[in-house]
């Protein structure tokens, strides 16, 4: 099984929902980055459930402990192992699914492929596994911010049929905190919250779209054939649980457009080369062009619902009905924003090092 | 620069549009697969331009020559080097773009990143580079077909605002050959062709959506965290030039759905486990589930158009206007179908070997 | 920094000598291998110091804790994270070396390359880092033994000028336990022990040669050009601290030989193909041939010695003299045997999976 | 099969002894390196046989043709494909070995592993495959020389029992050209030549030791745990056909030494830190320390000899006798010097880029 992501800035994740611990080793972060547990904790806190009525009521403390990789408050170039010890996981909820794979979940695939499936809490198929992504992402974010002031920000742009109005890119970071949905549009945010609570009441769930934007990424990262920046971003985003579609820039709207309408024209602003529009979402020919990198993901409704569903009973070899107990998110989009930010930050950190922008071993060598 | 794709079944591509040759080394194909140049030639012929009035009128013979990797008409486990020698490339068309990066193209990124840009025909940023993808894909297709009867088929489902009606998955392979657009819907195909010719007449181009389906893929390929099958497919598809969006199964339609509507419910058909619907597109939790794998890509309108466009002149440091001469495709979707098939076939071949379905060294060992 | 070893069976190591913990994630071990902490603990116990008068008197409990990857007493295909929490490390011994790099150690390289060097206990340059190797190796050994009855055994064949007489390959496992030097020759073992204690008394140390043999490896693992089995073994062995030379089979004795003397001639023993001699050490053309795999490493004398040595003081920019306090091994060979076994077991496990001998996901699928 | 070497500067090799062509794709060489076919040709000429009475009398023109990767006389950052088309290969010599694997050769491993073995000229197990190494190495050498004036030089230090006296490192490049053996010691060189010719007359062959030295490598390349510079060098050297042992610095002589005798002591020479001795061979703790990198390989006698040898006949399932016709090298050491240089140059180029010394994309960016 492959549990590593990235080539040079490389995150290797481990752990299951209800095991002893969940965490990640982040390898390839250069030395002399100021880093402490709080830098990671604040990202984990954004990801964790139980913080509002529209997320799962599960209380997960998710306290990070860094076991290695720091010396005198800074990274020292050695691998950073971050661990969250699991606590109070309630495994009894899951005994029922041992033989009855949940529709929309990967249970059956795990059973067939590995033959020894830790079904408790969905095991390593659980959304809790994204704690590893967030550990890697928090370090990547700090690295990007300290070296190039790069920021990676996610917000919810659609839940069900409710869409946001467009948002000024500079206001997202602030506005996203206005509501629990992490939507920058006040009116839409309210409607989204209402819809989510309705679905929750029905024992159902709803999908949505999350947009993630990275600003201040310099022109020149990404490799133009196999190794395109948008290729690596798409892979990373699609590997987040529940994601079924990825867009860069205009995304699927290019299908209905003519080139004369959407080609981003170049112009000089003093010595700097800019484009009049950013329909390409900051990436052309697989390489960043200095404009904001804009991505969107389609997030499916959380498959765990309490409504009756048809499935099979593997122990009996016959069809059956289940309804899934437990405390699940009626819409995962708000919490997935943090994972999406993490994911993109890891890809960017990896490419920034590999393209010669960030020193691979020692940040202090960049100051000379 | 990274010019390799895949881990075990690995294609390394080389060459530029107007250089001596373009090609690929395919490493990791097991021995004892029947293979000859015709297997690759027929795929290259599907990809090449000049075969209808809706593609570029350029005549490119694109004759494959295999330099290594075969013995007695079969693969022998050693790397297969396939080469297409370039002929009759007309470089004079491109002198003008040396200093005036084309909007919507990667020219500027190449110039800034590498500092020595072979602008002739767009160099290695050219669509001709997908010849390397097709060489790898043709071998992957043969391998998949011979071992598991897996077929990978693409068709055009949308051009501009014209969409196909839904198509029976078993009829695509036959119907896609009915028209030059590679659309299975006769009426829609006609309308698409008309739209493309209109855009051509205007000196403009139009985008579209290409769907690719793989049938007979067994349950159990793909790795569930970093290394998901849909992750690798998304990366591979997004690395095709002009692609700005990727969908698996329902794709972006999941955003507006409830779980109760789209969760694919399991049932037994005799001993076999199937799902009633295939909204997940054959992949759940990153692992194939035995249902057809369904993907869609958003393809932007070819950025090379003869209409006037604003850009910059790097030699003078000032804004300017260009119109791009040459013989370009008014819509690249029909030709991209072959590249999309190739791309997905390579990903599947790689995963089939890595998951233990296809023997990594010698196909004859599977017969025992 | 690269802290991962192997392609499919992949060990990622972390931690420093005096940090919170040291450990490894082992990714790519198939499911359904019986495994528990004791399997790893017994190997760590062979590696740890303080067990005899010829090793460092440091007492290191080195208790393994497995945080993930097991379910119902078996591996479940997910990454196995093994951790040893550091205890009672005495950092004050090392304050002196902060600015005075120890001759024969990597201190200066760490300082220059990363700029933030955790000098306590030699940080990640410490021999304690081989705990990560042993965690990976213990799992690899179990996997090899359970599937193909492969055994990997190391013994000391030379210390200083004292060499063993030749040993029957089938007796090594038993005889190596007869003395603390892990030498199969009773007389030579006594002399080695005496030499080591003399060097210890002088405040000096001595080098030696460790031989490692793997039996029951099937013919057919290894890849014949880049990826040779002996190439991967050499890399892995040379990456053990203090190793300065690697031999396969006859090793450097081939230099003085004629082909007619050393070519291993083939013959049939019933249906089985064997070689009359094993001068190639079980590997020909990069591929195993079914004979025992024989390797030797040259181990330098532990560079930490209490005799006065010349070095530099980086804080003053001038030359100086140090003598290294602490409790060091006067000869590391006996303890390195376990690391060498681990290292070779990891390489073999990786190749066994990649060559189709061991199922990549689920051992139970091999029983059918 | 893995036919790629290196992570960032990456050579993928293809082709067999008697196929259409043999060659390599070199990926990851930064743009703006002056390069032409002559740079590669001169290295191929050093490798090719037929140039003296102590090598095989085969005449192989081995003319390089570069198919891609250059623009205006410089690399452009895209993959460089170099091809040597095979000519005048005499396959009839090899029909006899189809079913009678040659002792000391990899024939049987190929047959068993891949099941479709191109035995002509030893197929991809032939020494001719090192043409791919030399293509990669020639480019690496140019890159190292142009950026850091790094030189990689090999010479023969032992044939049979004849050893050179020690040589001043600065004189090797000149003296190695004095004789066909590529030995810097005039007297020893004569004796070696005599010995080789004697073995040739007997229908036998003899082994030896080749030393390779790299000067001007800066301190700080190599990664300290998995990814050590000496680890990567050992792998690369052991992957050269016929190599059975690798030494760094003192190599196996460390076994008989005390630390007080061989620890390289540091001192200041003005501001520069040097070591009084270079017993570590320029690498400490896996990282280069700025001193010359010194390696030695044990090269076995060419296994193809005309003396009678016992082997098996696979078609009859019984033992038999062969004597190998053809025109083989009685000692491969002189020709292997070029391959060893190439191999080490590739490893160094890869590490120089990955450690931030050489810009990954564009050499001109290093001038600013």
């Amino acid at each position: 099984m492959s549990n590593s992501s990235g080539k040079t800035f490389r995150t290797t994740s481990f752990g299951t929902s209800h095991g002893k611990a969940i965490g990640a080793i982040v390898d390839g972060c250069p030395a002399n980055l100021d880093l402490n547990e709080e830098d990671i904790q604040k990202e984990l806190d954004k990801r964790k459930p139980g913080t509002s009525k529209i997320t799962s009521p599960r209380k997960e403390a998710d306290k990070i402990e860094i076991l290695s990789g720091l010396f005198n408050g800074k990274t020292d170039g050695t691998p950073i192992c971050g661990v969250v010890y699991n606590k109070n996981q309630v495994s009894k909820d899951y005994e029922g699914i041992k033989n009855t794979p949940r529709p929309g979940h990967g249970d059956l695939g795990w059973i067939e492929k590995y033959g020894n499936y830790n079904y408790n809490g969905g095991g390593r198929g659980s959304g809790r596994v994204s704690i590893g992504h967030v550990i890697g992402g928090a370090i990547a974010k700090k690295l990007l911010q300290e070296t190039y002031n790069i920021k990676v920000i996610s917000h919810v742009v659609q839940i069900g049929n409710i869409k946001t109005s467009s948002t000024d890119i500079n206001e997202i970071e602030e506005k996203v905190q206005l509501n629990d949905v992490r939507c920058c549009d006040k009116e839409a945010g309210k409607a989204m919250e209402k819809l989510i609570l309705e679905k929750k009441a029905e024992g159902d769930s709803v999908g949505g779209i999350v947009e993630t934007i990275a600003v201040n990424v310099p022109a020149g990262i990404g490799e133009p054939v196999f190794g395109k920046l948008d290729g690596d971003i798409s892979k990373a985003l699609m590997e987040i649980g529940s994601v079924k579609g990825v867009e860069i820039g205009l995304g699927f709207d290019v299908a209905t457009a003519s080139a004369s309408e959407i080609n981003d024209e170049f112009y000089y602003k003093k010595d700097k080369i800019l484009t009049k529009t950013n329909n390409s979402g900051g990436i052309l020919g697989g390489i960043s062009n200095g404009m904001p990198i804009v991505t969107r993901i389609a997030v499916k409704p959380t498959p765990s619902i309490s409504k009756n569903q048809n499935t099979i009973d593997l122990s009996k070899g016959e069809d059956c009905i289940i309804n899934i107990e437990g405390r699940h998110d009626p819409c995962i989009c708000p919490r997935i924003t943090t994972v999406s930010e993490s994911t993109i930050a890891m890809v960017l950190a990896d490419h920034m090092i590999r393209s010669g922008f960030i020193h691979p071993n020692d940040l202090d060598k960049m100051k000379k």
Side-chain angles (χ1 to χ4, degrees), chain A:
Chain A
M1 195 189 299
S2 169
N3 289 279
S4 297
S5 177
K7 289 188 176 177
T8 292
F9 185 97
R10 188 167 176 88
T11 300
T12 300
S13 155
F14 70 92
T16 50
S17 183
H18 289 205
K20 280 195 186 174
I22 214 161
I25 294 178
V26 179
D27 199 7
C29 182
N32 281 312
L33 175 69
D34 284 315
L35 189 76
N36 56 42
E37 289 174 346
E38 183 50 32
D39 291 315
I40 298 174
Q41 192 61 55
K42 72 179 182 198
E43 297 293 325
L44 287 175
D45 288 348
K46 279 166 58 184
R47 193 211 74 95
K48 74 179 178 188
T51 57
S52 82
K53 60 192 172 185
I54 61 167
T55 64
S56 162
R58 290 193 308 274
K59 290 288 182 193
E60 295 167 355
D62 292 354
K63 278 285 165 206
I64 185 72
E65 187 173 341
I66 297 181
L67 298 184
S68 65
L70 301 184
F71 187 61
N72 289 335
K74 292 165 186 275
T75 57
D76 65 0
T78 71
I80 304 161
C81 182
V83 178
V84 167
Y85 295 94
N86 286 324
K87 285 176 184 162
N88 301 320
Q89 263 60 39
V90 185
S91 292
K92 72 172 165 50
D93 285 351
Y94 294 90
E95 192 64 27
I97 64 166
K98 183 177 174 181
N99 292 307
T100 51
R102 296 165 297 174
H105 274 286
D107 302 332
L108 187 61
W110 283 87
I111 293 168
E112 292 178 336
K113 187 172 179 107
Y114 299 103
N116 183 29
Y117 176 48
N118 181 348
Y119 48 84
N120 291 313
R124 192 150 169 80
S126 163
R128 269 187 78 67
V129 165
S130 65
I131 286 175
H133 299 57
V134 173
I135 293 170
I139 298 171
K141 275 182 161 184
K142 192 89 192 278
L143 178 62
L144 295 169
Q145 172 128 21
E146 297 291 306
T147 51
Y148 281 79
N149 198 27
I150 293 168
K151 294 186 187 212
V152 185
I153 315 150
S154 285
H155 61 130
V156 171
V157 298
Q158 185 173 339
I159 300 288
N161 282 306
I162 305 161
K163 302 182 186 185
T164 55
S165 57
S166 74
T167 313
D168 182 329
I169 208 167
N170 298 307
E171 297 184 344
I172 296 173
E173 195 171 13
E174 187 193 333
K175 287 194 172 171
V176 81
Q177 301 177 30
L178 293 181
N179 51 45
D180 293 331
V181 193
R182 303 191 72 78
C183 172
C184 295
D185 177 332
K186 204 175 164 183
E187 288 311 304
K190 266 188 202 165
M192 288 172 178
E193 201 170 314
K194 185 160 166 286
L195 176 60
I196 294 171
L197 292 173
E198 281 168 17
K199 289 291 167 183
K200 186 181 178 183
E202 293 170 20
D204 208 342
S205 65
V206 64
I209 298 179
V210 171
E211 184 174 79
T212 306
I213 294 173
V215 294
N216 297 330
V217 177
I221 72 169
E223 303 182 34
V225 180
F226 296 127
K228 282 182 169 155
L229 182 58
D230 34 359
D232 283 350
I233 285 175
S234 297
K235 173 179 163 67
L237 289 173
M238 195 62 93
E239 284 173 352
I240 300 173
S242 298
V243 174
K244 300 302 284 184
V246 175
E247 294 185 321
I248 308 288
L250 275 191
F252 275 84
D253 284 351
V254 300
T256 53
S258 298
S260 62
E261 296 162 351
I262 65 161
N263 277 354
D264 295 316
E265 295 183 315
F266 298 104
Y267 71 103
Y268 277 109
K269 188 175 180 181
K270 294 191 180 168
D271 281 356
K272 219 177 157 187
I273 301 167
L274 298 176
T275 58
K276 295 181 185 181
T277 49
N278 187 24
N279 294 322
S280 67
I283 305 176
L284 261 180
I287 302 176
S288 65
N289 67 1
M291 300 293 286
I293 291 173
V294 181
T295 72
R296 272 177 307 282
I297 50 177
V299 180
K300 74 177 183 182
T302 328
S304 294
I305 54 176
S306 58
K307 279 190 170 177
N308 279 357
Q309 295 185 86
N310 294 298
T311 187
I312 50 173
D313 186 325
L314 294 166
S315 65
K316 300 181 183 163
E318 60 187 34
D319 297 346
C320 69
I321 287 174
I322 54 166
N323 57 71
I324 300 170
E325 301 301 332
R327 301 155 297 169
H328 303 286
D329 290 87
C331 179
I332 199 65
C333 290
R335 290 178 59 205
I336 233 171
T337 54
T338 307
V339 184
S340 180
E341 290 174 4
S342 290
T343 287
I344 287 179
M346 286 189 282
V347 174
L348 295 178
D350 191 32
H351 274 279
M352 289 291 288
I353 297 171
R354 286 198 276 129
S355 294
F357 286 96
I358 295 180
H359 195 280
N361 305 318
D362 180 3
L363 296 189
D364 283 357
K365 293 198 172 70
M366 295 170 69
K367 294 174 187 164
K368 291 163 191 170

